[in-house]
Amino acid sequence: MSKNLVIVESPAKAKTIEKFLGPDYVVKSSIGHIRDMPKKDMGVDIENNFQPTYAISADKKKVVADLKKSVKTATKIFLATDEDREGEAIAWHLQQALSLAEDTPRIVFHEITKGAITDAINNPRTIDTDLVNAQQARRIIDRLVGFEISPVLWRKISGARSAGRVQSPVVRIVVEREREISAHNPTSSHKVKANLENSSNQSLEVKLSVDFKSKEEALSFAESVLLAELKVNSVETKPSKRSPKAPFITSTLQQEASQKLGFSVKQTMSIAQNLYREGAITYMRTDSLNLSELAISAAQEVIVSKFGSEFHQTRRYKTNSSGAQEAHEAIRPTDLTKPSILGLDDQSTKLYSLIYKRTLASQMSDAQLQKTKININISNRSEHFIADGEVLSFAGFLEVYDYMAAEDKLLPEVSKGDLLTLVDLASKESFSRAKPRYTEASLVKEIEQMGIGRPSTFATMITTVQDRNYVVKETREGVQRDYHLIEIEDGVISESIQAETTGAEKNKLFPTNVAYLLVDFLVKNFSNIIGYEFTANLESDFDLIAEESKPWAGVIRDFYEPFHAQIELAKDISRDETHGKRDLGEDPVSGKPVSVRFGRYGAFAQIGHQDDEEKPTFSSLRTGQDIENITLAEAIELFKMPRTVGETIDGETIKANYGRFGPYIQYGKKYVSLKEISPEEVTLEEALELIIVKEKLDAERIIKVFEDSDIQVLNGRFGPYVWNGKKRGKGQKNVTVQKVFGDKAPIDLTLEECKKAIDGKIKAKAKAKKAKKKTTAKKKASS
């Protein structure tokens, strides 16, 4: 019996939807995209109006074949891919690949509930070719950029992999922020705080109205305040309010999940996608703040029932983005009567709760507060003390969603003219700060405000720049910094120098050395590719294709022609212009020049010139060091390695050093990684302990060694193997014993057999058995 066929993107979504539609429908999944431009060539006919060539992806041929079978027996077919541009493009590719009619019903829904699915089935439309063309234009331009610029980068910049159209401006943002931080010169000021008491011995925490520029000014103030009369000049109390934030869109969900839950952007979108597929929330890639009237009514019922009518306030939020196009509603729970859902894992539960609370709070009353400000005169000074207090008089939305601190800060009862007593005072030297480094979430906020990318691309953009090793997310320790502290206790002034940690970072984004070179190269030679305004304008052009049927080929041509001309010019650039060389000064010992640059294996320091009679010496930069900021002194330190630690019991020299794969100690031809101790600090005793552990592990691994040969038979994670004795990156070769020798005991292998196996002169037993089985099967079939 034939059934109606519904094709969705996700297998998980297919199961959920099939339950709602009943026995007359079968729901199949395309498992994402099924076609793309071929990888072996550009796949774009530039001469023929940029027409793309598409091919079924190798890993989707079986999926497409299965869908074709289902299409043949189906009564009616519905294309139910996601409702954004990418989903529309997938629907179009399905139509083309499955040879479906142009008027094949296309259904969209922003939540997976029985009502939404039924309504979509009853109100289908056809594929929106404008949305498809907008997505095609984006994909074609990205292919043109990647295909033409990547070979230029491979030849010109060591370590550069490619330069995506939207990823490159993201790298530039991170690089420019890092340069701002490096260029920042901290200025100091002295901030004064004090504790005062009223006649009832009630404490009042105050701050001074101004900061002092020098320690001398702060000290002068401290001396004056000991002799001063402190009198209340005014007490001001006024009402204040705080309003709830709008319900989540893609970017704000990513930011809030990062700040409150510590989730990465990619993690947030993965969890949100699963919640959507399970029917728990609405579509998660959206830049619309709109809530449906049904959702607004449902929120009202829950709020009035649980908290009372005074906590409810209907709110309709307007989307600020002129290009809002991904979906028609904000991210919200599909059922607001469910503050939690059984069966979810811990992370999904936390994210769902965040979405639920934010949605409910968006329809609640303002929080009402009473703010109090007390000004206190200092009789012998022009400055004055200030005390601020805040009391929550009505919780409103904070009853549900306390995204901001709302703790009461009560002040003691004082009146104008009251005299106060100084209990203690502290004047602490503080330093101006540079702009903060980006987190994943704050970077999403930045690119959204700049108009670069769209909700469906934010997570991919952030992930891709990290995958390509242009940006790293790291936690770094700070450094110690001294500051001056002036205190008054029991009427006595004291001065001291204290220490604090500054510059510590947790899960912040840092540019790699190659990122600096990439950005400088692109800014110089491809200003449009990396230009913020250009990238934002191109996104607006995609919006015009989607919303106003702007001809997509014209948008591509306007981009490609100047871009291709720049590609031709860039081919003539010398590689020496792109290695990022920076001269630091002279080596105090040899008098030779010291420089840093980027090479095949990363950033390194160099003493001397290539054309010197004596060859120059090299040393790799350490983790956290970059060619932009390393100093001469720091570079000189690099050449103090390797450091001789001592000798083993057998008299072999033990050296500590840094290498491509991290710090290590070396004895003879053997190496041991240093995990928790630096090469500068490792002691002989610690080194010997590490060597003992390694020798024990090696003894357990070694099955057989051969005299006068580096070849060994060893135990590995996947069984015994033959090793040619060479290190990774220096001709290392391993051969699995079972694959080559079958069931032969590893201990019985001869040196000659091992040499032949390494040279590939022995046919693998596993392959031979497989070939024999195929031959036997063919013979049976022919007979």
Side-chain angles (χ1 to χ4, degrees), residues 377-429:
N377 282 349
I378 305 166
S379 61
N380 56 2
R381 302 285 301 196
S382 59
E383 305 89 359
H384 63 277
F385 284 125
I386 301 168
D388 289 308
E390 190 174 82
V391 177
L392 185 66
S393 55
F394 175 69
F397 76 94
L398 291 177
E399 193 74 36
V400 170
Y401 197 75
D402 55 342
Y403 65 81
M404 57 181 80
E407 291 183 8
D408 288 352
K409 187 181 177 184
L410 295 170
L411 298 178
E413 285 288 334
V414 294
S415 301
K416 183 176 180 178
D418 285 357
L419 293 177
L420 303 175
T421 306
L422 177 68
V423 178
D424 55 52
L425 177 145
S427 171
K428 180 184 175 184
E429 183 182 18

Side-chain angles (χ1 to χ4, degrees), residues 647-654 667 688 691 695:
E647 291 185 351
T648 65
I649 298 169
D650 299 327
E652 286 185 306
T653 301
I654 303 170
Y667 59 106
L688 290 172
I691 289 169
E695 292 292 328

Side-chain angles (χ1 to χ4, degrees), residues 649-697:
I649 298 169
D650 299 327
E652 286 185 306
T653 301
I654 303 170
K655 293 181 179 180
N657 202 356
Y658 291 89
R660 280 182 65 198
F661 306 106
Y664 65 89
I665 54 172
Q666 177 187 0
Y667 59 106
K669 292 185 178 180
K670 294 184 179 181
Y671 299 82
V672 185
S673 294
L674 292 173
K675 302 293 185 185
E676 298 175 359
I677 317 167
S678 71
E680 293 89 349
E681 297 172 326
V682 64
T683 64
L684 177 60
E685 184 181 357
E686 289 167 333
L688 290 172
E689 286 178 7
L690 290 169
I691 289 169
I692 290 168
V693 172
K694 178 177 174 57
E695 292 292 328
K696 185 179 178 183
L697 290 172

Side-chain angles (χ1 to χ4, degrees), residues 26-97:
V26 60
V27 184
K28 295 273 186 176
S29 166
S30 70
I31 318 176
H33 284 276
I34 58 162
R35 296 199 313 177
D36 198 2
M37 287 170 269
K39 290 183 179 179
K40 61 183 179 181
D41 55 43
M42 187 182 287
V44 180
D45 189 345
I46 295 167
E47 302 302 322
N48 186 23
N49 222 19
F50 300 98
Q51 287 299 319
T53 299
Y54 292 110
I56 304 294
S57 305
D59 61 338
K60 294 298 174 68
K61 287 183 177 178
K62 189 177 178 183
V63 173
V64 172
D66 180 53
L67 288 173
K68 282 183 175 179
K69 286 180 185 177
S70 300
V71 164
K72 285 180 182 178
T73 60
T75 305
K76 194 171 183 179
I77 300 154
F78 295 89
L79 298 172
T81 49
D82 288 350
E83 62 174 323
D84 56 13
R85 291 176 197 167
E86 198 163 346
E88 202 73 19
I90 292 172
W92 178 78
H93 282 296
L94 285 166
Q95 182 197 62
Q96 299 291 310

Side-chain angles (χ1 to χ4, degrees), residues 480-515:
Q480 289 290 101
R481 176 176 65 190
D482 290 341
Y483 66 91
H484 286 99
L485 181 66
I486 298 169
E487 294 178 289
I488 297 178
E489 283 191 19
D490 299 324
V492 177
I493 298 174
S494 63
E495 293 182 59
S496 62
I497 294 177
Q498 304 289 328
E500 63 184 0
T501 301
T502 181
E505 300 283 23
K506 184 176 181 181
N507 292 331
K508 293 292 182 69
L509 299 178
F510 295 83
T512 60
N513 279 295
V514 72

Side-chain angles (χ1 to χ4, degrees), residues 4 63 66 87 96 110 131 265 308 336 365 376 442 448 530 560 680:
N4 297 306
V63 173
D66 180 53
Q96 299 291 310
H110 57 269
L131 292 179
V265 167
L336 281 164
S365 305
I376 300 144
S442 63
E448 181 188 35
I530 205 161
Y560 180 72
E680 293 89 349

Side-chain angles (χ1 to χ4, degrees), residues 292-461:
S292 69
E293 291 303 314
L294 194 66
I296 290 172
S297 297
Q300 180 178 357
E301 286 184 27
V302 172
I303 293 163
V304 172
S305 169
K306 191 169 183 180
F307 303 106
S309 58
E310 68 275 18
F311 281 85
H312 173 257
Q313 182 178 335
T314 300
R315 300 175 189 267
R316 291 176 176 81
Y317 297 89
K318 290 185 178 180
T319 303
N320 294 324
S321 171
S322 58
Q325 43 80 27
E326 300 294 335
H328 304 296
E329 195 169 355
I331 304 168
R332 63 165 176 82
T334 55
D335 186 351
L336 281 164
T337 64
K338 295 180 178 178
S340 61
I341 295 178
L342 295 174
L344 295 178
D345 60 60
D346 183 55
Q347 290 183 334
S348 298
T349 298
K350 288 177 179 177
L351 192 66
Y352 177 82
S353 177
L354 197 69
I355 294 167
Y356 180 89
K357 289 177 179 178
R358 177 77 164 234
T359 305
L360 208 63
S362 75
Q363 297 300 306
M364 294 181 73
S365 305
D366 293 337
Q368 303 294 334
L369 304 104
Q370 287 291 328
K371 285 193 170 184
T372 302
K373 183 176 183 180
I374 302 172
N375 292 307
I376 300 144
N377 282 349
I378 305 166
S379 61
N380 56 2
R381 302 285 301 196
S382 59
E383 305 89 359
H384 63 277
F385 284 125
I386 301 168
D388 289 308
E390 190 174 82
V391 177
L392 185 66
S393 55
F394 175 69
F397 76 94
L398 291 177
E399 193 74 36
V400 170
Y401 197 75
D402 55 342
Y403 65 81
M404 57 181 80
E407 291 183 8
D408 288 352
K409 187 181 177 184
L410 295 170
L411 298 178
E413 285 288 334
V414 294
S415 301
K416 183 176 180 178
D418 285 357
L419 293 177
L420 303 175
T421 306
L422 177 68
V423 178
D424 55 52
L425 177 145
S427 171
K428 180 184 175 184
E429 183 182 18
S430 60
F431 299 85
S432 62
R433 295 182 181 181
K435 289 181 180 178
R437 289 183 175 90
Y438 290 105
T439 61
E440 286 188 346
S442 63
L443 186 55
V444 165
K445 184 177 181 180
E446 183 74 9
I447 61 181
E448 181 188 35
Q449 289 174 344
M450 296 175 79
I452 301 170
R454 290 294 181 263
S456 57
T457 64
F458 290 154
T460 306
M461 290 160 69

